[in-house]
Amino acid sequence: MPFDSYGVLSGTLHRHFRDRPDDQGAWFHVNLEVDAPGGRYRCAVDVDSKQSATGVRWKTLVLAPSVLDPVPSLAPGYHDLSMSSGSGALDYLRHPALADRRGCLLPRNPPAWLRTVVDRWSPPRPWVSGSNLDAAGALEPMLVPGRPILVFGEPFAHHGPGMHNIHQNQGDPYGSRWWDDNGIWQDGATLTRRPDGWYDVFLSRFSSQLDPTDDDGHPVAPPT
């Protein structure tokens, strides 16, 4: 079943810091401190697994504010979002600004000339794999103190104001501890607004998460 609560925090980035690698639990995070009318929020962005074989993949994008409507016009603070298309919620596989559209544009085994044309019109946006240091290094250049920031995810139930699950939240396989959290239109992300008004975007997902997914966010079994 999807999250009980999902939304976006709009505020100003105060600072960021990395977890200490030896005493911060099973997952490394880049922690964001975000100022908003409700106080200073801590937002924990997963950047790798420390105690399992599950790795993290990521990609960075630059997006115009118009493709994120209506979220860029929201007042500072935390806002619940309906987990549906058009609400401002994010879905890595379904949101037209985030989904890798190349798969639907190319037939199987396309000729080289067609691949070149499609790559120019819709450049591939591959997921990158690496260490927690690599992932943190990809995120941190956009974490400029004083920048307006949007953090999508699930609000903390405890530990004070903050956000977690700032990553893909669908596609976890059957039998995993996160199967029950699968859902569509509830993916997390970190976005900071550049001086030109566009947004730097960091998306992350776990290597164990599969796609495509069904309407419940569960992986669709490949045809046999």
Side-chain angles (χ1 to χ4, degrees):
M1 61 182 294
F3 293 150
D4 292 331
S5 183
Y6 167 80
V8 61
L9 172 64
S10 174
T12 301
L13 180 64
H14 173 68
R15 68 166 185 142
H16 77 274
F17 60 94
R18 298 182 184 183
D19 280 349
R20 296 184 299 273
D22 296 326
D23 60 358
Q24 293 292 318
W27 301 92
F28 288 120
H29 302 91
V30 173
N31 298 278
L32 318 177
E33 291 185 352
V34 177
D35 289 332
R40 180 161 290 166
Y41 290 73
R42 185 178 72 85
C43 304
V45 184
D46 294 285
V47 291
D48 207 355
S49 166
K50 183 169 72 171
Q51 296 178 357
S52 80
T54 302
V56 173
R57 299 175 182 174
W58 66 90
K59 66 171 67 177
T60 58
L61 309 171
V62 179
L63 295 179
S66 58
V67 304
L68 301 166
D69 283 342
V71 169
S73 62
L74 295 175
Y78 173 76
H79 303 269
D80 279 317
L81 296 175
S82 170
M83 288 172 270
S84 60
S85 174
S87 70
L90 299 184
D91 187 306
Y92 292 3
L93 308 181
R94 295 167 178 80
H95 194 294
L98 303 183
D100 187 348
R101 295 185 294 272
R102 296 178 72 248
C104 64
L105 297 171
L106 288 171
R108 181 173 295 181
N109 299 318
W113 69 266
L114 179 57
R115 183 178 295 277
T116 299
V117 170
V118 171
D119 283 352
R120 285 182 183 171
W121 183 74
S122 180
R125 297 179 286 191
W127 291 95
V128 180
S129 299
S131 70
N132 65 298
L133 297 179
D134 296 328
L139 169 61
E140 288 174 331
M142 60 182 272
L143 301 180
V144 180
R147 267 193 182 188
I149 187 169
L150 299 171
V151 182
F152 291 80
E154 183 183 21
F156 280 134
H158 308 288
H159 312 300
M163 304 280 284
H164 67 141
N165 286 325
I166 308 168
H167 49 68
Q168 180 172 306
N169 293 302
Q170 59 181 309
D172 283 293
Y174 181 77
S176 81
R177 58 184 287 193
W178 299 285
W179 168 266
D180 290 339
D181 290 335
N182 280 335
I184 63 175
W185 296 104
Q186 60 168 23
D187 288 334
T190 305
L191 298 81
T192 62
R193 195 174 74 206
R194 297 152 38 127
D196 62 7
W198 287 51
Y199 283 88
D200 287 321
V201 182
F202 180 86
L203 311 178
S204 61
R205 61 183 294 188
F206 300 108
S207 60
S208 57
Q209 291 174 320
L210 306 174
D211 58 68
T213 62
D214 61 21
D215 290 344
D216 294 317
H218 298 316
V220 176
T224 57

